[in-house]
Amino acid sequence: MAIAPFSSVTAKSPIFRFRAPPHLQHICISTLIPHLSSHHLSTLAQLFSKQTTKAKDGKHLDIPKPKSSSSKSKKAANMARIINTGPWSSHLESSLSSLTQPSLSHTTVLHTLRFIKTPSKALQFFNWTQKVGFSHTHQSYLLMLQLLGSARSLNSARNFLLSIPRRSNGTVPLQDTYFNTLIRSYGKAGLFQESLKVFKVMKSLGISPSVVTFNSLFSILLKRGRTGMVYALFDEMLKTYGAKPDVYTFNILIRGFCMNSMVDQGFRFFKEMERHGCDPDVITYNTIIDGLCRAGKVKIAHNVLKGMVKRGHQLSPNVVSYTTLVRGYCEKQEVEQALDVFEEMTDCGLKPTSITYNTLVQGLCEAKRFDRIKEILEGTLGGAGLIPDTCTFNTLITYHCNVGNLHEAMKVFENMLNLKVKPDSATYSVLIRSFCQKGHFHRAEKLFDDLMKKEVFLCDDGCTPLIAAYNPMFEYLCRIGKTKKAEKVFRQLMRRGTQDPSAYQLLIMGHCREGTFNDAYELLVLMLRRDYIPNIEIYESLIEGLLQKDDPKVAYDTLEKMLKSSHLPRSSTFHKILTELIKKNCASECASLVTLMLHNKVRQSISLSTDTVRILFQRGLRQRAFEIVRCLYENEYMVNMDGLVVFLCQCRKLLEARELLLFSLSKCHILNVDTCGTLLSALCKARRASEAFEIYYELLEKGVQQPLECVEELGLVLETEGRTKEAEFVKKRILGQSQSDRLIQTCASEGDIGSV
């Protein structure tokens, strides 16, 4: 159902009397206005455009510049600039000394502390001034404590507080003000237990807590829902310390209990105020009205408001009182009562704010009372109309979208643009989501393009964008090959601090389908940094794609991240990555991957394991190669020892080949005779007689005979190098082997080889 256009609206009509302040325009999450005539749009557009302040004579008014700062402020600014621009040093201290002549004033010290950007440097300056003879007062100690607390340097703040008596030589005693500051700082950081510890320390030092102390603790505990501790603390305040609660105490208690869904208890504190000699103020009444409305007790809240009226002019309800009640009735869908409260407010001479109007418009939308919305917009209700803001438009657009009337929603959006009211992220999200739900993706994409071009997400309009609302659009764009466009908007959302794991997954899979795997990997890293766990499909698609793009190193990094996300890849995935790493001669990565496979009990391939060891030797990573071989054998896997020994001999890495063969023999793995002969011959030619004899002897121990020519070559080398003892041993073996060989030949010729 559409709202009829305005009738005869001029620039002097009541609708133009009020404009919501900018900081209030973000309160509602969705909103908007229907159909205005072109004349009214033009009039409103002029009023919404930028205006220049003029004097009565038409000339522009010059805004006076602020007066120049005092000499003390200038000195403080200069000192702070020096401190902020470099690390603390003796040179910096000398520069400060030249500016402090003839002496430092308390005002200069306080200004300088405020101008210093980091609390650690502020504390260094504080200590330095003390070192050069400046005597700090209660005021400077309190300021330093506040600076440390506001910067969340809470350990430093606590240590600083407890050091005040020592620092001041007893001239500045500890008092509740210091502890109150630290208690509040811990509370703002969400560390309520630490606030309580400070409270205990305070009492143990004999410092009586004041009502301000208790008020701070009440506020902190109620925000954490610790209502039971509040009761005990309230009794301690009254009975142990005799601190008298004030109106701030009761306002904190009433609001805290109401926000914890304990409205009855909040109301009891409200009634108890009189017994403690406290007169409720407007804030008290507004707090209890708000709590009652949140609990659905709107009629009781209305009676409370009427009670305010009866108490006279000194306690009259304000706009907040009435707006809260309007919201309460709207939430119960009792819009007639809400309208009565609205009229009652205007009859009292109170001017509704944009929050009041937007609250009422939202309630009327839900109740489909468009006639009344028209009256509000035209100013016939309450004597003053609504100047539509972003929140107003969002409310109406959201309603039309929720009932499926996208044509009317777009009319509202167009009117919004014509009135030069800036749409926010909520405006676009509800329209884009609604068009996607209806399958009108081309229209949604046009809005998406507008959103991206205007960089709406980068505007600090107070509206926090919901990234999940854009996921249907992200999904559509990724499906049609426009992932980069989707990611551009997604990154704008990220800069506003909003995150959604589903959006990451949509974009990563979109990049994988489009072959932009490095972009996908970059998003995966960002996703993991925010502690989101990608699903196994993302990892497998990304690894497969990176391997296709000949980027096995990044594929291996992805596999490591997959394991950290508690996903175990298939064995074939490990083997594919290892194969490509071997092709690229990535020695270290190959070794790490084999180790990772062993740790995760993934079956090994002899050929891939052998190639890994070969590359390690080739790259000179001798120790790592032997580590991998030992680990493989410890886990009951093997490598092609014959191939590796021959390879090492060819590469003149004879000592490595020797060690590998000895390791093989220690595992009772006998290498091919030709392989052993190749190594022995190579060692002999390299004049490595000692190493060659060691190999020969170990082979004999294992019952392995070497060809006679090889043994003879060994004997000759041993004689040449003067190793007579080893040479004699080999000669005997040669003689014995020669006789054995002749016997075998004789028997073979006589056909009696079986006897041998």
Side-chain angles (χ1 to χ4, degrees):
M1 180 176 178
I3 304 174
F6 288 128
S7 61
S8 61
V9 181
T10 68
K12 294 183 179 179
S13 297
I15 188 172
F16 301 116
R17 293 180 185 172
F18 307 104
R19 177 185 294 277
H23 67 281
L24 294 176
Q25 292 182 3
H26 66 277
I27 300 297
C28 293
I29 57 169
S30 10
T31 208
L32 322 326
I33 213 186
H35 327 285
L36 307 178
S37 68
S38 59
H39 168 71
H40 303 136
L41 291 174
S42 176
T43 306
L44 278 174
Q46 293 175 15
L47 289 173
F48 274 64
S49 64
K50 190 176 180 181
Q51 298 179 11
T52 306
T53 306
K54 293 184 177 181
K56 292 181 180 179
D57 59 1
K59 296 180 180 179
H60 291 286
L61 290 175
D62 292 326
I63 301 174
K65 295 181 179 179
K67 295 181 180 180
S68 62
S69 59
S70 66
S71 60
K72 291 180 180 179
S73 294
K74 285 182 179 179
K75 182 187 287 187
N78 289 334
M79 293 171 71
R81 187 184 68 255
I82 293 171
I83 294 168
N84 290 330
T85 53
W88 195 272
S89 64
S90 57
H91 176 71
L92 184 145
E93 290 182 358
S94 299
S95 300
L96 292 177
S97 297
S98 64
L99 291 173
T100 58
Q101 301 303 323
S103 63
L104 272 172
S105 69
H106 287 285
T107 304
T108 303
V109 170
L110 293 174
H111 281 322
T112 306
L113 285 171
R114 291 189 180 97
F115 291 152
I116 297 173
K117 294 179 180 179
T118 57
S120 59
K121 286 187 174 181
L123 184 56
Q124 284 176 311
F125 171 74
F126 187 96
N127 294 335
W128 175 79
T129 55
Q130 206 163 22
K131 189 171 69 174
V132 297
F134 180 79
S135 297
H136 287 285
T137 63
H138 161 73
Q139 194 175 6
S140 56
Y141 277 110
L142 181 60
L143 176 59
M144 188 66 245
L145 189 61
Q146 290 169 341
L147 291 172
L148 292 169
S150 62
R152 300 286 175 89
S153 298
L154 300 175
N155 285 336
S156 297
R158 183 185 62 228
N159 294 335
F160 179 82
L161 185 154
L162 297 175
S163 71
I164 290 176
R166 174 181 55 79
R167 287 172 175 269
S168 66
N169 292 322
T171 58
V172 179
L174 291 177
Q175 50 188 285
D176 69 296
T177 313
Y178 300 132
F179 288 92
N180 296 342
T181 299
L182 190 56
I183 286 170
R184 284 192 295 270
S185 297
Y186 275 118
K188 287 176 183 177
L191 304 170
F192 80 96
Q193 293 284 10
E194 295 300 320
S195 293
L196 291 172
K197 287 180 184 177
V198 173
F199 180 60
K200 289 179 181 177
V201 170
M202 177 184 186
K203 293 186 292 183
S204 69
L205 294 174
I207 299 165
S208 295
S210 64
V211 67
V212 176
T213 312
F214 286 103
N215 288 349
S216 299
L217 288 168
F218 291 147
S219 179
I220 292 165
L221 292 171
L222 287 168
K223 282 178 182 176
R224 304 287 295 187
R226 306 287 175 156
T227 53
M229 297 175 76
V230 170
Y231 289 129
L233 199 63
F234 188 74
D235 286 341
E236 184 179 359
M237 178 180 73
L238 298 177
K239 297 175 182 178
T240 305
Y241 293 99
K244 185 178 179 182
D246 55 19
V247 67
Y248 300 104
T249 310
F250 286 104
N251 287 348
I252 291 167
L253 291 170
I254 292 167
R255 176 169 178 76
F257 278 101
C258 288
M259 294 304 290
N260 280 285
S261 303
M262 299 175 69
V263 181
D264 292 339
Q265 185 57 41
F267 203 65
R268 277 197 286 273
F269 275 113
F270 176 69
K271 291 181 177 179
E272 198 173 327
M273 291 181 74
E274 186 177 355
R275 185 169 69 86
H276 290 278
C278 286
D279 292 324
D281 58 11
V282 175
I283 296 174
T284 313
Y285 277 98
N286 288 347
T287 302
I288 197 68
I289 289 170
D290 178 67
L292 289 166
C293 287
R294 287 177 186 275
K297 301 179 179 182
V298 187
K299 293 193 181 302
I300 298 175
H302 202 161
N303 289 333
V304 172
L305 185 139
K306 291 175 181 177
M308 290 178 71
V309 175
K310 290 178 182 178
R311 295 192 64 162
H313 180 69
Q314 292 182 346
L315 202 62
S316 299
N318 58 16
V319 176
V320 176
S321 316
Y322 285 103
T323 302
T324 304
L325 202 54
V326 167
R327 188 201 71 219
Y329 277 121
C330 286
E331 286 176 351
K332 290 181 73 71
Q333 297 187 344
E334 297 177 2
V335 291
E336 287 300 329
Q337 289 87 337
L339 287 165
D340 290 342
V341 172
F342 184 85
E343 290 184 1
E344 183 183 334
M345 174 176 62
T346 54
D347 289 343
C348 292
L350 293 173
K351 296 179 180 180
T353 65
S354 63
I355 300 174
T356 314
Y357 282 120
N358 290 333
T359 302
L360 190 56
V361 167
Q362 187 170 4
L364 292 170
C365 275
E366 292 171 359
K368 301 181 181 180
R369 295 295 305 274
F370 296 102
D371 55 329
R372 284 309 190 88
I373 295 176
K374 177 176 176 290
E375 291 176 10
I376 292 175
L377 296 175
E378 292 182 340
T380 59
L381 183 64
L386 163 66
I387 289 184
D389 61 9
T390 303
C391 187
T392 319
F393 282 105
N394 285 349
T395 301
L396 294 171
I397 286 177
T398 299
Y399 170 75
H400 286 306
C401 287
N402 288 343
V403 298
N405 197 344
L406 299 184
H407 179 70
E408 291 299 325
M410 281 306 295
K411 280 188 177 180
V412 174
F413 181 70
E414 289 163 6
N415 285 339
M416 182 180 194
L417 297 178
N418 290 331
L419 288 168
K420 300 192 184 306
V421 178
K422 289 179 67 174
D424 61 13
S425 61
T427 316
Y428 284 100
S429 68
V430 68
L431 286 168
I432 290 172
R433 184 178 68 245
S434 298
F435 277 122
C436 288
Q437 287 172 346
K438 291 287 185 181
H440 303 322
F441 290 106
H442 62 289
R443 299 192 69 180
E445 189 175 357
K446 285 182 179 178
L447 288 167
F448 194 84
D449 291 340
D450 190 43
L451 170 79
M452 181 172 60
K453 182 181 177 182
K454 293 178 179 177
E455 296 186 333
V456 171
F457 292 131
L458 303 183
C459 301
D460 189 11
D461 53 10
C463 180
T464 302
L466 297 174
I467 196 169
Y470 298 92
N471 282 347
M473 196 66 220
F474 291 151
E475 185 177 6
Y476 167 72
L477 291 172
C478 293
R479 193 168 62 243
I480 64 172
K482 295 182 178 180
T483 304
K484 284 190 180 293
K485 178 193 281 190
E487 186 181 344
K488 187 173 181 179
V489 173
F490 175 74
R491 286 185 176 272
Q492 291 179 5
L493 282 161
M494 285 176 60
R495 287 168 66 179
R496 286 295 300 275
T498 56
Q499 309 290 334
D500 181 69
S502 299
Y504 278 105
Q505 298 189 139
L506 287 170
L507 293 169
I508 292 171
M509 292 304 295
H511 278 305
C512 288
R513 282 190 291 270
E514 294 172 31
T516 49
F517 298 105
N518 287 326
D519 292 334
Y521 178 76
E522 190 177 332
L523 284 173
L524 176 76
V525 172
L526 290 173
M527 187 178 186
L528 291 169
R529 282 179 185 169
R530 286 152 180 80
D531 294 328
Y532 294 132
I533 305 300
N535 60 36
I536 195 166
E537 183 187 5
I538 283 179
Y539 281 114
E540 289 179 342
S541 301
L542 188 50
I543 289 171
E544 192 69 32
L546 289 166
L547 291 175
Q548 289 174 12
K549 289 289 184 179
D550 199 24
D551 200 346
K553 282 190 176 183
V554 179
Y556 173 51
D557 288 341
T558 306
L559 181 135
E560 285 187 310
K561 291 175 172 54
M562 185 176 183
L563 289 168
K564 289 177 182 177
S565 297
S566 300
H567 297 309
L568 182 63
R570 293 188 288 262
S571 297
S572 59
T573 304
F574 284 95
H575 293 160
K576 285 178 183 177
I577 296 174
L578 185 55
T579 301
E580 297 304 316
L581 287 171
I582 289 169
K583 288 179 183 178
K584 292 278 188 180
N585 288 321
C586 301
S588 296
E589 289 80 2
C590 288
S592 298
L593 182 51
V594 169
T595 304
L596 197 63
M597 292 169 71
L598 291 170
H599 178 74
N600 287 280
K601 303 189 184 308
V602 177
R603 64 176 176 81
Q604 299 289 318
S605 159
I606 291 180
S607 61
L608 292 177
S609 301
T610 302
D611 287 341
T612 298
V613 176
R614 176 179 54 78
I615 292 171
L616 289 167
F617 278 126
Q618 198 171 19
R619 288 298 181 87
L621 301 173
R622 180 180 182 277
Q623 185 175 352
R624 190 79 173 103
F626 282 114
E627 283 177 6
I628 293 296
V629 171
R630 280 192 289 271
C631 287
L632 286 166
Y633 276 79
E634 284 170 4
N635 285 275
E636 300 181 356
Y637 292 105
M638 298 176 65
V639 294
N640 182 354
M641 283 291 189
D642 287 284
L644 284 172
V645 170
V646 171
F647 166 76
L648 290 170
C649 289
Q650 291 170 348
C651 295
R652 311 297 296 169
K653 296 180 181 291
L654 303 181
L655 295 181
E656 287 85 348
R658 164 186 160 274
E659 189 172 343
L660 204 59
L661 188 145
L662 291 173
F663 174 82
S664 181
L665 292 175
S666 71
K667 297 295 182 181
C668 298
H669 177 201
I670 309 302
L671 272 63
N672 187 287
V673 172
D674 291 339
T675 303
C676 297
T678 300
L679 177 57
L680 277 173
S681 180
L683 287 168
C684 290
K685 285 182 173 64
R687 296 294 186 266
R688 291 271 185 183
S690 177
E691 290 81 1
F693 180 78
E694 182 185 12
I695 293 292
Y696 175 69
Y697 187 83
E698 289 294 330
L699 288 169
L700 286 177
E701 288 290 305
K702 297 293 183 181
V704 179
Q705 290 280 359
Q706 292 301 303
L708 188 59
E709 311 84 64
C710 184
V711 180
E712 287 174 344
E713 184 180 7
L714 175 59
L716 184 61
V717 171
L718 288 168
E719 280 184 359
T720 304
E721 292 190 5
R723 295 180 174 271
T724 55
K725 188 176 180 180
E726 291 92 337
E728 285 297 323
F729 178 84
V730 171
K731 280 182 180 180
K732 291 178 181 179
R733 302 303 302 178
I734 292 172
L735 181 60
Q737 190 171 343
S738 298
Q739 292 174 351
S740 176
D741 287 347
R742 282 196 297 272
L743 178 61
I744 291 172
Q745 288 175 1
T746 301
C747 292
S749 62
E750 295 176 355
D752 194 20
I753 190 70
S755 63
V756 179

